[in-house]
Amino acid sequence: MKLSPSQKKIVSASDGNILVTATAGSGKTRVLTERIRHLLAKNPLDGVLALTFTNKASEEMTTRLNDIKDLRHRSFIGTIHSFALEIIEKHGHHIGLESIPHVFERDEDRMRLLEESLVKCGIELAETDSKGNDIRKKQLFAWLERISLAKRKLLSDQEIESEYPDEDFHSIYREYNKTLRAHGGTDFDDLLIFAHRIITEAPNVKKIYNRAYSHICVDEAQDLNFAQYELISTLCRNSNVTLMMVGDPDQSIYGFNGSSPSFMTHKFATEFAPTRFILTENFRSSKEILYLAELLKPGSQLTKKTEKTYYAGRVLFQEASDEEFEAHWVVLQISNLLKESECEEIEGEITLEKMVVLGRNRFVFQALEKLLKRDNYEYYFKKSPGPPIFESQSVQIFDLLLRIVINLHDRLHSRQLASLCNLPWTDDTDALTFLNKIHSEKCHIDSVPAQFASLFLHELEKQQNLREADLPASIEQFIEAIQNATIDDDEKERAIVEFSDLNVHWQRYVRGISSNSNLSLSGFRSALAMGKTQPEMVPKGLALSTVHTMKGLEYDIVFLMGMGQGCFPDYRAKSKSALEEERNNAFVAITRAKRFLYISYPKMKMMPWGGKRIQDPSQFLGEMGLL
Amino acid sequence: MPILIQTVRISGFRGLKNIEVPLELKTVIIGANNAGKTSFLKAFQLSMGDSRFLGEDDFHISLDGQRSNLIVIDVRIVPTDNFGKLTTTFDELWSSIFRSDIQIEEDQEFLAIRTKLSQKDDQKRFAPERYFLKIWPKFDGWDDEKYESSNRAQNFAESIPLYFQEPQRDILDDLRERKSYLGRILSKVKYNDDDMTALKEIIDDLNETAISKSEVLSALQSHLCELKDAIGGNGKTEISSVAKDVRDLTKGLRLHYQEGANSFSMEYHGMGTRSWASLLTMKAFAKIVVSERATDNKPFFPILALEEPEAHLHPNAQKHLYTQITDFPGQVVISTHSPYISANADLGELRSFYRSGDQVLVGGIPQDLDIEDKRRIGREVINTRGELFFSKLIILCEGETEEQALPVFFKDYFERFPYELGVNFVGISGCGNYKAFFRFANAIKIPWLVFSDGEVETLKRISHEYESVFHNKIDLFSDFRFVVLPNGAHYEKYLLESGYGNEIEAILDDLNGEGWVSTQINKLNGKLRKSHSTEKICATCKQHIFKGEKRDYSGTDGKKNALADFMLKDKTRLAVPIARAILSLDKARRYPPLVDEIFKKVGIVLSIETSEKES
């Protein structure tokens, strides 16, 4: 993947201080890593200090630079706090720190220490406010915030006294620090204070760092706070060290903790007179994909904010005679991409890990899965953590019944169930009466959901009376009933698949239990709720995912399958607002693709009970101009 | 600017329980066999990157038979200028690899690396763990974990390689061995394309001429060509007298050493030449790498650890060796038994290893020794051809007479020459020199005895110098290490007092002619001695008043005075003959009592059985 001319200009700029203002998606992390690569290659003796705000960011940077020989010895890539910790660990003895202090990072721990200090200061906190709400925790947290903010100003004890008129605060501040030390520890803010003290009180140590790291690069510099900026700028002052800051003032997110983009845009700019660069090109999405997005949702924020899209990208659409053909087409595209191996628009080798197959629901993957298995492609289902989500109405009814049977006081779910089954509900109904109502068949002769509910309830009660629950036997009956019912084909298909899934969840639950006599419906329900019955996910190979699970994630290459009307948008989305939500989902789906997007639509759908059904293309396909 | 390994600390390795060795740019290690010299060099090698040789037996066993399961070696690296003089900061080149692990204490930068090797159950291989140290601790308890930085240190062997040379070196082995320094040099041989073509032509030409000019070889070749009839195909048999291919030029390389008109292949040279040649190839290798690394702008500082380089070498060659070794472009540590090598070293470069209980300890000449003292010791070292370093006992005596006479008595007493027993006599001759030798002997842990005059001034001075070195009071008359002549006497006077007057007179007469002593007494009795300066100052000229004393040679005491005067006048010529004359006397009088006493002490120090002599 090549750098754009404006990126290249920054990467190969001559040695000196640099300020890069970069908008979202303009590839700032890449510019930063390539700049580091450039500096290391150009000056074989130099070392680089790269500071980030999250471990994830530094890990990503390290991974990208991993091919550089001696990277570990020539660079420090990590968070500002981990760098502070490295200074303390190696040179802390200059300010009397013989070993690395323990860092109390959990708020709970710090609160406990604060409580201890408050007792010593003789300050009592009110337990409740006038309305009787518990406010103790809130107050403790507020004190911790104040202490933290004060620490981030790197004030001496005297300065604290003149800066803060509140005398209580002085004593709490002092006592809290004393308590920290007494427990052999520090907090995160102290790390910066200590590191700053070391390089100011032992200027020789600063000189060692100046020789060790002749270049300092700061990522997300819009989030710097005073202490962090002071540590970095103190290191750079009166030295030959070059300082590079990269950030987007519009993305500043930590404003509450004393951070401000002005450290980057003003203090750094005036103190170090950096050469300024601006990056506005968008590298995150390709032109083709943004074009589709604009057609689907005209005037969205994404397209509005993007000034210049750098990559053209690819969008391919395929209409397939049936689902099998659709799956074949997807696998063919995948194998072609893998053969292509490298391409200008994608960083690194094209691998399965850079691709994801999306569907509005999980039911569109069945033909593809068979084919992937046959051709030995590695793949996995992306799952969101937590309990499984059921989409078919029938299984939702079953799940609600299960909850109510287990907990006969559950009026909340009783009401939900009533609405799903079109049964009357009044607020004074209790769950037991409600269940009895379901039992009597008279009232719901013409409601299929209610008939199901009645059947499920029968079976569940039978199960409850058994010494060992045997849910699979019941599920078999449900599937049979559903197959014979006159309901929507989509619902029928989903219900059958999801009940089969439920069977699998049951088996995982049984496996996780020490002895069969412990099997119970309530045990099963809580295992479901805890996500314990979710399959172990090994994220290797091609990812298959529903659109909902993919929210917030991005892939270079995205396949969007099963674009039939009824599937996407979902057949249940009939109101205007529900349809608008489906459109948003479709928007999310296509914008998960950074470069390439493959969309497919099978004309014919196989039904689980045999037989085929013709489906219309999704209305979104027409809206995006693909049909 | 280069660096220097300033200090090495070792614990738990072989015989080295816990030791600190300060190093110089060139360091010469001396000490008895089994004193731990080789162990030190091997531990140094371990710390600088090569642990392949390590085995279970390398872990220290304490006196109670407990095997240590941990070896710890610390090295302290400091920046220096191009002459090995300490500087405060590492330069850009070294900073580029040491980075923020450089530490600073009182404005002095250093890098401390700890190597740990631990023994776990059923372990055949030992992987070293390396840590940077946060501070350079005091020696007491230095190997505590708390000084370690939590991050691992890398192996700096690429930049600071340690070349270890064992005593058994042979250039002939090097020629065969691809991993030898010679082999490694040869693997670097490269020609450019033009040179390759030119060389190829020369070789082909040479081979062809060698065959065609010889009827025998031509015939051989044509007969061998019949091979192709047997094998079939279009093969051709070629005879080549030199390598057929340019690539093969460095294979089967031979070395010749020419003296005068005769050139001999190395095979015909003795081990001395061959081992020396091997040493020189190693130096050549180091210099080649130095220039390679300099071209790449990479830091490089090789260390040469040489074990007994004197093996097989003639003393004259040994004298040269030190200069040739110290020309090495890095740090050098030599262990040696050669007085010629140690005599060439600067005193400050010497380290003496010695055992004390289950500990190996290290001595060295204190850095604060003043230049005059260093010069005196240096001169004495050269006088003894370096033997002084390997001495088992030094006997310090006042003047030249004792220095000459005592060895004569010694030979008779012990029936061996002093050097056979490792005993050296050092004549202090004059003032202010005991201090230097006290410090020298103390530093390199050689026991000493003093055979001293009894003059009050001399005794005062010795006590003073002793106290300034050892920082405690001393009573010269009761201390075991001192034999003091009685009644303020010097050696000559002591002999006369001890009743050897007649023997001395006989020697004087023998040397100067019959009746010489009586004639001289008569001639000089009552005459003024040569005048000497007194403490009185003349009121007019402000100069010291000079005064001559009258000689009194009359009577028995007068005769003693006369003999003493005559002896002093000619003492160096008389020392040995007088000693011999005394030795010819009967058993009871053969050794003046205090000479007998000092030899008894020698016997005790060296644990020599002398009961026979006493009886």
Side-chain angles (χ1 to χ4, degrees):
Chain A
M1 199 168 72
K2 277 193 215 151
L3 291 165
S4 78
S6 52
Q7 288 180 328
K8 207 178 271 170
K9 231 160 116 188
I10 303 173
V11 165
S12 54
S14 54
D15 284 11
N17 298 325
I18 292 177
L19 169 57
V20 181
T21 318
T23 57
S26 59
K28 73 186 163 49
T29 310
R30 201 169 130 73
V31 166
L32 205 61
T33 50
E34 291 311 304
R35 174 66 177 173
I36 293 171
R37 185 190 298 282
H38 170 82
L39 289 170
L40 289 176
K42 197 179 143 214
N43 314 295
L45 296 182
D46 290 8
V48 173
L49 180 61
L51 300 175
T52 68
F53 273 83
T54 62
N55 285 322
K56 205 173 161 238
S58 45
E59 275 161 29
E60 190 185 337
M61 216 179 274
T62 312
T63 318
R64 289 193 194 200
L65 293 171
N66 234 345
D67 56 310
I68 295 176
K69 199 180 155 250
D70 284 344
L71 178 73
R72 205 171 66 82
H73 299 311
R74 296 188 59 196
S75 67
F76 181 97
I77 303 175
T79 62
I80 299 177
H81 282 101
S82 67
F83 174 62
L85 202 59
E86 115 109 34
I87 298 181
I88 296 167
E89 133 104 294
K90 288 181 181 167
H91 305 281
H93 55 93
H94 289 278
I95 57 164
L97 294 171
E98 293 305 336
S99 58
I100 323 170
H102 173 75
V103 182
F104 289 109
E105 52 201 308
R106 288 173 46 207
D107 285 341
E108 292 90 327
D109 296 338
R110 292 168 59 224
M111 280 191 194
R112 204 155 301 138
L113 296 174
L114 179 64
E115 278 181 309
E116 209 173 291
S117 346
L118 287 171
V119 169
K120 279 187 198 145
C121 294
I123 295 171
E124 271 180 49
L125 291 181
E127 295 285 341
T128 52
D129 64 7
S130 52
K131 285 178 190 160
N133 297 321
D134 187 350
I135 52 158
R136 192 178 165 76
K137 223 174 170 178
K138 213 169 136 193
Q139 291 178 81
L140 286 172
F141 201 78
W143 277 116
L144 283 179
E145 272 303 303
R146 282 190 77 186
I147 292 171
S148 189
L149 272 173
K151 284 190 173 187
R152 284 176 194 152
K153 290 183 184 166
L154 300 177
L155 299 175
S156 69
D157 285 356
Q158 288 96 322
E159 284 168 318
I160 291 275
E161 280 176 24
S162 55
E163 194 102 340
Y164 292 85
D166 178 358
E167 272 182 33
D168 273 358
F169 181 74
H170 302 163
S171 47
I172 292 174
Y173 184 84
R174 262 197 308 271
E175 200 55 54
Y176 169 74
N177 283 334
K178 239 161 86 183
T179 316
L180 268 179
R181 308 288 177 268
H183 284 85
T186 57
D187 56 22
F188 263 119
D189 301 310
D190 280 338
L191 291 182
L192 293 173
I193 296 178
F194 288 150
H196 184 259
R197 268 187 62 199
I198 292 168
I199 57 166
T200 43
E201 289 174 26
N204 283 328
V205 173
K206 170 180 146 22
K207 282 184 197 151
I208 290 175
Y209 277 95
N210 287 161
R211 266 177 293 141
Y213 302 110
S214 9
H215 310 280
I216 300 182
C217 302
V218 187
D219 191 20
E220 309 280 8
Q222 77 274 359
D223 291 330
L224 286 171
N225 65 31
F226 178 77
Q228 292 162 340
Y229 178 76
E230 266 311 296
L231 177 65
I232 294 167
S233 56
T234 308
L235 260 183
C236 293
R237 279 177 208 135
N238 307 317
S239 74
N240 296 323
V241 174
T242 72
L243 180 54
M244 176 185 193
M245 290 205 182
V246 181
D248 179 4
D250 292 342
Q251 285 187 59
S252 174
I253 49 169
Y254 292 107
F256 63 90
N257 71 359
S259 80
S260 157
S262 70
F263 290 111
M264 168 181 115
T265 54
H266 292 98
K267 279 202 105 169
F268 172 54
T270 45
E271 199 181 346
F272 291 91
T275 314
R276 287 162 181 264
F277 294 93
I278 296 171
L279 280 179
T280 51
E281 294 157 317
N282 185 304
F283 294 90
R284 189 164 290 164
S285 313
S286 61
K287 251 176 222 158
E288 295 259 347
I289 289 157
L290 285 178
Y291 176 71
L292 278 195
E294 176 64 18
L295 284 175
L296 191 62
K297 264 188 78 179
S300 73
Q301 274 296 50
L302 175 72
T303 39
K304 234 197 272 176
K305 273 190 87 180
T306 307
E307 296 191 10
K308 237 169 91 191
T309 315
Y310 192 73
Y311 293 110
R314 287 180 203 167
V315 172
L316 247 72
F317 171 68
Q318 182 67 42
E319 188 181 278
S321 53
D322 58 19
E323 288 168 302
E324 240 171 77
F325 184 90
E326 182 190 32
H328 272 283
W329 180 75
V330 169
V331 171
L332 179 72
Q333 299 310 318
I334 291 174
S335 90
N336 283 343
L337 281 166
L338 292 176
K339 266 184 231 148
E340 196 178 332
S341 170
E342 259 173 61
C343 123
E344 230 179 61
E345 297 199 343
I346 288 172
E347 195 180 346
E349 196 192 339
I350 300 179
T351 59
L352 285 178
E353 279 73 16
K354 293 199 164 86
M355 311 176 193
V356 65
V357 186
L358 292 184
R360 172 62 182 84
N361 54 55
R362 304 185 299 107
F363 313 104
V364 304
F365 299 131
Q366 292 177 41
L368 179 66
E369 265 195 271
K370 264 187 221 151
L371 210 57
L372 290 173
K373 267 185 203 149
R374 194 197 73 184
D375 293 353
N376 285 322
Y377 282 100
E378 249 183 310
Y379 74 95
Y380 68 100
F381 271 104
K382 240 186 199 333
K383 290 250 160 96
S384 20
I389 295 157
F390 298 111
E391 298 218 8
S392 77
Q393 202 186 35
S394 314
V395 181
Q396 281 171 4
I397 290 172
F398 174 81
D399 189 39
L400 288 171
L401 268 172
L402 188 58
R403 289 168 197 255
I404 302 165
V405 167
I406 290 163
N407 173 14
L408 287 174
H409 302 287
D410 191 346
R411 292 175 66 244
L412 179 78
H413 289 117
S414 301
R415 198 174 62 185
Q416 282 180 21
L417 183 61
S419 109
L420 257 184
C421 299
N422 294 321
L423 292 173
W425 176 264
T426 46
D427 277 347
D428 54 355
T429 323
D430 62 66
L432 199 62
T433 346
F434 180 63
L435 285 187
N436 285 331
K437 214 183 252 175
I438 292 175
H439 259 303
S440 59
E441 290 178 34
K442 276 180 268 169
C443 62
H444 43 72
I445 217 96
D446 48 343
S447 160
V448 182
Q451 282 169 8
F452 282 155
S454 175
L455 169 72
F456 298 160
L457 184 59
H458 245 89
E459 284 297 318
L460 282 175
E461 281 173 346
K462 215 162 77 192
Q463 290 296 334
Q464 268 204 317
N465 296 332
L466 289 173
R467 268 193 60 219
E468 289 176 23
D470 182 16
L471 203 59
S474 299
I475 287 174
E476 225 170 278
Q477 291 201 28
F478 299 160
I479 291 177
E480 210 184 305
I482 288 166
Q483 273 180 3
N484 299 326
T486 43
I487 47 167
D488 190 282
D489 276 351
D490 286 303
E491 166 60 25
K492 200 183 256 187
E493 184 196 6
R494 272 172 220 194
I496 292 170
V497 174
E498 286 186 343
F499 268 121
S500 316
D501 277 358
L502 205 61
N503 228 337
V504 179
H505 282 291
W506 174 265
Q507 273 149 26
R508 287 205 200 93
Y509 159 68
V510 173
R511 245 179 277 143
I513 250 161
S514 56
S515 121
N516 274 9
S517 57
N518 290 338
L519 293 178
S520 70
L521 290 178
S522 58
F524 176 55
R525 177 60 221 160
S526 67
L528 270 183
M530 306 283 285
K532 279 187 188 163
T533 59
Q534 294 278 35
E536 293 279 318
M537 182 182 80
V538 186
K540 240 188 132 223
L542 179 70
L544 309 187
S545 169
T546 65
V547 176
H548 286 95
T549 306
M550 265 297 281
K551 268 187 183 150
L553 301 172
E554 284 179 334
Y555 274 72
D556 284 321
I557 301 161
V558 169
F559 291 87
L560 180 56
M561 289 180 77
M563 286 301 279
Q565 189 73 7
C567 177
F568 208 168
D570 190 88
Y571 63 97
R572 285 162 297 190
K574 289 187 178 107
S575 68
K576 203 180 164 205
S577 65
L579 193 66
E580 199 48 42
E581 206 181 314
E582 285 297 286
R583 193 188 314 286
N584 280 340
N585 283 335
F587 183 81
V588 167
I590 62 170
T591 55
R592 295 311 91 204
K594 289 201 274 189
R595 302 285 182 271
F596 302 165
L597 175 63
Y598 297 84
I599 305 180
S600 55
Y601 149 62
K603 273 185 176 164
M604 194 85 80
K605 249 175 93 75
M606 286 289 286
M607 292 296 149
W609 53 92
K612 294 179 177 180
R613 201 194 69 182
I614 289 182
Q615 61 174 356
D616 290 332
S618 161
Q619 67 182 90
F620 300 140
L621 291 175
E623 288 172 23
M624 290 188 287
L626 295 171
L627 275 179
Chain B
M1 283 186 296
I3 53 167
L4 185 76
I5 315 292
Q6 195 184 38
T7 315
V8 180
R9 288 170 170 174
I10 301 157
S11 77
F13 183 72
R14 296 192 187 168
L16 308 175
K17 188 179 177 189
N18 185 22
I19 189 175
E20 170 177 285
V21 187
L23 295 179
E24 310 294 327
L25 190 55
K26 321 288 169 199
T27 307
V28 174
I29 298 174
I30 56 177
N33 284 322
N34 204 27
K37 301 191 296 296
T38 305
S39 298
F40 169 71
L41 293 181
K42 294 307 271 185
F44 195 16
Q45 187 183 13
L46 262 187
S47 71
M48 298 317 291
D50 191 355
S51 61
R52 283 166 298 180
F53 66 85
L54 193 78
E56 197 188 2
D57 294 339
D58 289 320
F59 288 81
H60 178 79
I61 298 179
S62 62
L63 282 181
D64 56 9
Q66 286 290 319
R67 189 179 278 287
S68 156
N69 51 19
L70 183 66
I71 298 170
V72 185
I73 308 160
D74 284 1
V75 293
R76 176 181 157 106
I77 303 174
V78 291
T80 70
D81 64 12
N82 286 326
F83 308 99
K85 216 178 136 249
L86 202 64
T87 56
T88 54
T89 41
F90 286 105
D91 67 2
E92 213 190 11
L93 217 53
W94 289 101
S95 295
S96 81
I97 65 164
F98 294 161
R99 305 262 167 222
S100 59
D101 292 300
I102 294 173
Q103 290 291 348
I104 185 151
E105 264 168 31
E106 287 164 6
D107 287 341
Q108 176 61 55
E109 287 188 356
F110 65 92
L111 184 81
I113 306 170
R114 168 164 301 176
T115 307
K116 281 170 119 173
L117 292 130
S118 55
Q119 188 168 32
K120 285 151 199 145
D121 298 335
D122 303 330
Q123 200 180 343
K124 287 275 164 355
R125 293 171 63 90
F126 304 90
E129 289 171 11
R130 291 198 167 76
Y131 302 90
F132 292 111
L133 298 188
K134 293 188 278 188
I135 60 167
W136 186 254
K138 294 212 166 62
F139 184 64
D140 194 27
W142 62 273
D143 53 359
D144 196 307
E145 273 182 19
K146 69 181 174 194
Y147 304 118
E148 293 160 15
S149 177
S150 64
N151 58 331
R152 294 287 183 90
Q154 67 267 42
N155 183 345
F156 287 107
E158 199 195 347
S159 307
I160 316 174
L162 184 139
Y163 304 132
F164 189 89
Q165 280 275 54
E166 293 184 35
Q168 290 83 22
R169 293 176 303 267
D170 186 346
I171 191 77
L172 294 178
D173 293 339
D174 294 352
L175 278 166
R176 284 186 288 269
E177 188 61 55
R178 275 176 53 207
K179 279 182 186 158
S180 70
Y181 295 111
L182 181 59
R184 284 155 78 179
I185 292 173
L186 294 179
S187 71
K188 288 176 186 285
V189 173
K190 286 203 178 62
Y191 299 106
N192 66 34
D193 290 351
D194 288 350
D195 292 345
M196 284 282 267
T197 323
L199 278 167
K200 177 78 179 137
E201 265 173 41
I202 296 169
I203 291 168
D204 290 348
D205 205 36
L206 181 65
N207 276 327
E208 202 201 302
T209 316
I211 310 297
S212 62
K213 294 285 179 193
S214 153
E215 277 177 35
V216 181
L217 286 177
S218 301
L220 177 64
Q221 174 148 317
S222 66
H223 282 290
L224 283 173
C225 274
E226 288 167 22
L227 261 178
K228 78 167 180 226
D229 301 332
I231 300 167
N234 294 317
K236 188 179 159 202
T237 315
E238 275 183 280
I239 300 174
S240 50
S241 58
V242 295
K244 204 177 127 28
D245 207 36
V246 180
R247 278 193 304 274
D248 296 334
L249 273 181
T250 55
K251 287 181 191 156
L253 202 76
R254 290 161 69 93
L255 294 181
H256 293 256
Y257 180 68
Q258 184 166 354
E259 248 182 273
N262 299 319
S263 165
F264 291 110
S265 164
M266 273 296 163
E267 279 91 341
Y268 296 96
H269 285 279
M271 268 314 290
T273 314
R274 278 150 55 184
S275 89
W276 199 345
S278 174
L279 194 63
L280 294 176
T281 60
M282 193 232 52
K283 197 170 92 177
F285 175 78
K287 288 208 164 168
I288 288 168
V289 182
V290 165
S291 70
E292 277 177 0
R293 297 281 295 193
T295 317
D296 296 348
N297 202 19
K298 285 190 174 137
F300 189 66
F301 185 74
I303 301 164
L304 172 58
L306 264 183
E307 201 183 353
E308 294 168 24
E310 66 271 18
H312 310 292
L313 285 183
H314 184 275
N316 281 334
Q318 291 183 32
K319 285 177 197 164
H320 270 301
L321 198 67
Y322 178 81
T323 330
Q324 290 206 345
I325 294 164
T326 49
D327 186 24
F328 182 81
Q331 195 164 358
V332 181
V333 186
I334 306 168
S335 81
T336 186
H337 291 298
S338 165
Y340 305 101
I341 290 175
S342 30
N344 268 299
D346 190 84
L347 279 180
E349 299 175 346
L350 288 163
R351 298 291 178 270
S352 157
F353 278 47
Y354 58 94
R355 281 189 169 277
S356 169
D358 65 337
Q359 291 267 34
V360 174
L361 302 174
V362 186
I365 307 296
Q367 291 299 325
D368 59 346
L369 209 62
D370 66 45
I371 294 175
E372 182 57 19
D373 287 345
K374 262 191 186 165
R375 203 182 54 77
R376 274 182 224 280
I377 294 171
R379 192 182 60 204
E380 204 53 50
V381 167
I382 291 168
N383 281 349
T384 62
R385 292 174 196 80
E387 273 174 36
L388 205 58
F389 292 123
F390 303 92
S391 198
K392 285 189 177 137
L393 173 64
I394 297 175
I395 298 173
L396 301 167
C397 44
E398 196 65 23
E400 279 176 88
T401 332
E402 296 91 315
E403 199 185 350
Q404 287 182 32
L406 287 176
V408 177
F409 285 116
F410 189 99
K411 168 72 174 51
D412 188 84
Y413 189 94
F414 291 102
E415 293 171 340
R416 273 146 99 185
F417 288 106
Y419 63 78
E420 288 182 86
L421 292 174
V423 175
N424 287 86
F425 291 92
V426 175
I428 296 302
S429 58
C431 52
N433 298 355
Y434 279 98
K435 192 168 73 187
F437 286 95
F438 283 155
R439 300 188 78 165
F440 171 79
N442 186 45
I444 65 174
K445 299 297 159 196
I446 301 173
W448 50 265
L449 296 170
V450 171
F451 187 82
S452 168
D453 279 6
E455 284 156 347
V456 180
E457 278 307 308
T458 309
L459 295 180
K460 246 189 182 165
R461 208 187 61 232
I462 294 177
S463 312
H464 179 73
E465 288 180 2
Y466 178 91
E467 281 157 20
S468 79
V469 172
F470 296 97
H471 306 291
N472 52 28
K473 292 260 171 221
I474 181 132
D475 177 8
L476 298 182
F477 290 97
S478 65
D479 193 283
F480 173 83
R481 293 165 295 186
F482 290 86
V483 172
V484 182
L485 300 182
N487 309 322
H490 48 67
Y491 176 68
E492 285 75 13
K493 203 166 162 200
Y494 171 68
L495 288 185
L496 291 167
E497 299 282 346
S498 304
Y500 296 104
N502 291 340
E503 287 73 20
I504 292 167
E505 186 177 348
I507 293 292
L508 283 169
D509 282 352
D510 198 32
L511 284 171
N512 297 302
E514 192 69 34
W516 181 84
V517 172
S518 318
T519 323
Q520 287 293 309
I521 287 175
N522 289 335
K523 200 169 119 190
L524 296 172
N525 189 18
K527 294 273 165 58
L528 281 180
R529 284 176 202 277
K530 214 173 165 187
S531 56
H532 60 272
S533 154
T534 63
E535 285 184 8
K536 279 188 187 159
I537 295 187
C538 167
T540 45
C541 70
K542 309 285 181 208
Q543 299 279 324
H544 282 276
I545 294 172
F546 273 66
K547 197 180 147 196
E549 264 174 52
K550 265 192 185 167
R551 297 176 196 249
D552 180 9
Y553 288 171
S554 57
T556 327
D557 284 349
K559 189 171 184 182
K560 270 188 194 162
N561 287 338
L563 285 172
D565 282 350
F566 301 154
M567 279 169 83
L568 285 174
K569 221 178 145 196
D570 208 5
K571 55 183 175 186
T572 46
R573 194 157 70 108
L574 293 170
V576 174
I578 291 172
R580 293 231 169 89
I582 294 173
L583 280 172
S584 66
L585 298 174
D586 59 42
K587 236 183 193 171
R589 296 187 61 221
R590 190 181 284 172
Y591 310 111
L594 289 184
V595 172
D596 188 66
E597 187 185 326
I598 197 150
F599 288 160
K600 279 206 177 100
K601 289 180 171 180
V602 168
I604 291 166
V605 172
L606 299 179
S607 317
I608 300 169
E609 205 62 56
T610 51
S611 55
E612 208 181 307
K613 289 278 162 193
E614 280 160 22
S615 64

